[in-house]
Amino acid sequence: MQELLTIGQLSTRSGVAMSALRYYEQIGLLRADRTGGNQRRYARSELRRVAFIRISQQVGVSLDEIREALESLPAARTPTPEDWTQLSRLWRNRLDEKITLLTRLRDDLDGCIGCGCLSLRRCTLSNPGDRVADEGPGARLAMPR
Amino acid sequence: MQELLTIGQLSTRSGVAMSALRYYEQIGLLRADRTGGNQRRYARSELRRVAFIRISQQVGVSLDEIREALESLPAARTPTPEDWTQLSRLWRNRLDEKITLLTRLRDDLDGCIGCGCLSLRRCTLSNPGDRVADEGPGARLAMPR
DNA sequence: CCTTGAGCTGAAGTTGGCTTTAAGTTGCAG
DNA sequence: CTGCAACTTAAAGCCAACTTCAGCTCAAGG
């Protein structure tokens, strides 16, 4: 089994265009060794990173935020289980938030449909936990961040 | 209680910039009546739409797709409960997919952390249901759409 | 009536996330 | 050692989703 992947191989295996992979490297999301002739050679572990990046992106996280997360992994040494645990904890919160938001949207959409109103005022959807009730009556979006 | 909202009021209540609201109107996501002096007056129901738009966007849906969804609501007549049910069903699938993806990411991240590997090859994360196994060995991202 | 803040338009500018292009170099199979 | 696909770079281009700007008009309180 090959140790290192060419950019073409990484692209095929990850389903991400080569140009995108180069772009990710440029903005510090991926790293690659070079051959004598200056061609990229990726460690197999970069596949994990690409998967992490694309899935995170799919659910609305910016590349900037993804980089921040990935930067918590030390570049100098091989990440320890503790390093990964740290990263995991960070993202668990973020993911939990998103899941909650989505589930609420889905259920409230269903709920609102039930009564035929799609009222985002009466629903918790746009006003979770009535957090903004003291800002006066009426609907108001309560978004994370 | 006021019947119609000015753009400033809609902006304040929705937390969405006026320029964004005008943009949404321009691309057909919102509709507004006009005063004699050409100023926008929004029906209160537009508040629902804005909430729907922003929440959908939060979880990675494009404005184009959102418009498609909203277009399933008839402009000519007041939407019936059936109209809303249709829209709801459409989005339920979409949302279910996203929720599944997110939950898997979260759980697998945890699981991988457990063994200290964050292996996206062995995990279902990047290869749900081994859907791509017959495309050869190794990791490959299996994304919806 | 006057002032002032809120709103109007169209056009240009911005940011994120890439893709495309041009012109050249590398690496491997035959 | 040749030929050709795969690779390299920098720069330009592109699309989505807005924001900003200039120069104006409107609406409501004093």
Side-chain angles (χ1 to χ4, degrees), chain B residues 21 32 41-42 50 52 64 79 95-97 106 140:
Chain B
L21 294 174
R41 287 302 122 94
Y42 295 94
V50 178
F52 183 79
D64 233 57
L95 294 177
D96 278 344
E97 260 178 37
R106 185 193 61 187
R140 200 166 292 103

Side-chain angles (χ1 to χ4, degrees), chain B residues 27-41:
Chain B
I27 64 173
L29 287 174
L30 294 179
R31 282 163 18 78
D33 294 336
R34 297 298 178 117
T35 63
N38 198 35
Q39 296 195 356
R40 288 170 182 83
R41 287 302 122 94

Side-chain angles (χ1 to χ4, degrees), chain B residues 31-76:
Chain B
R31 282 163 18 78
D33 294 336
R34 297 298 178 117
T35 63
N38 198 35
Q39 296 195 356
R40 288 170 182 83
R41 287 302 122 94
Y42 295 94
R44 304 190 68 82
S45 63
E46 294 302 281
L47 215 40
R48 293 177 200 162
R49 278 184 169 246
V50 178
F52 183 79
I53 293 165
R54 295 310 278 229
I55 293 171
S56 304
Q57 236 188 344
Q58 266 274 316
V59 296
V61 183
S62 72
L63 294 185
D64 233 57
E65 292 176 289
I66 295 170
R67 182 179 47 225
E68 265 180 61
L70 287 174
E71 270 169 4
S72 79
L73 296 176

